[in-house]
Amino acid sequence: MNKLLKKMTEDSTHGSMKMPSALPSSSAQSPYSKLIIRDVQVDMSIGIYDAEKQAKQPVLVNLEATVQDNPHWREDDIRFVVSYECVVEKINALAKAGHIDLVETMAEYIAEFCLEDDRVFDVTVRIEKPEIFACAAGVGVEIHRTR
């Protein structure tokens, strides 16, 4: 899986999300924004049971990241922001990269590639499997990771 993730990261349309930045020593000392991505649905091979390994199933990904404010907002230039398009592309690539046993593992991969961008202070990732139990709208995990 690590080889697949590495290839997926290298093949990203926008390349690495890393961009040099002059970050203060603490996000509490600087203005910040929230990057929000809601209900990205991917069909993927995920789960520990044989049936889950045989057929893809829908997975919902939600993400909220605290990011450095854009001091160059008047320039209206994508280079100065953390691109939600890039994050969604990487989520889709991860879903296609191969089987993952645990939703917890998927959440960690997503948090890890978000935090590779120096402008991201922290990230909360929620992964849900909406079709596991008829009695529940979804089951999953939510993690919060900080730089």
Side-chain angles (χ1 to χ4, degrees):
M1 184 65 189
N2 286 339
K3 287 180 186 177
L4 289 171
L5 183 63
K6 182 175 184 197
K7 178 158 179 36
M8 173 214 55
T9 302
E10 290 169 355
D11 291 346
S12 174
T13 305
H14 296 291
S16 174
M17 291 189 340
K18 274 192 173 182
M19 184 172 174
S21 94
L23 285 181
S25 59
S26 167
S27 63
Q29 297 172 348
S30 68
Y32 65 89
S33 299
K34 292 283 186 176
L35 174 73
I36 300 167
I37 299 173
R38 291 187 49 226
D39 295 334
V40 175
Q41 182 171 329
V42 293
D43 291 321
M44 63 181 294
S45 177
I46 189 166
I48 61 171
Y49 297 108
D50 288 340
E52 293 178 303
K53 294 178 182 182
Q54 302 303 317
K56 292 183 178 182
Q57 63 182 298
V59 173
L60 294 174
V61 179
N62 286 277
L63 180 148
E64 185 174 298
T66 305
V67 300
Q68 179 182 4
D69 242 2
N70 176 8
H72 307 287
W73 63 269
R74 291 183 196 278
E75 294 180 37
D76 198 24
D77 190 328
I78 188 77
R79 294 176 302 148
F80 298 114
V81 299
V82 178
S83 170
Y84 51 78
E85 178 182 16
C86 185
V87 175
V88 170
E89 285 176 355
K90 288 185 178 214
I91 291 168
N92 283 319
L94 177 61
K96 293 175 185 172
H99 182 82
I100 298 174
D101 279 341
L102 303 174
V103 292
E104 291 85 353
T105 303
M106 183 176 184
E108 293 290 353
Y109 276 126
I110 294 169
E112 181 177 76
F113 67 64
C114 287
L115 290 169
E116 286 175 355
D117 189 315
D118 292 336
R119 298 166 297 173
V120 177
F121 299 126
D122 66 10
V123 63
T124 300
V125 179
R126 179 184 303 134
I127 308 293
E128 292 182 72
K129 295 161 78 174
E131 295 184 0
I132 296 300
F133 297 110
C135 62
V139 295
V141 66
E142 180 176 286
I143 65 168
H144 181 81
R145 299 294 177 262
T146 303
R147 167 168 309 290

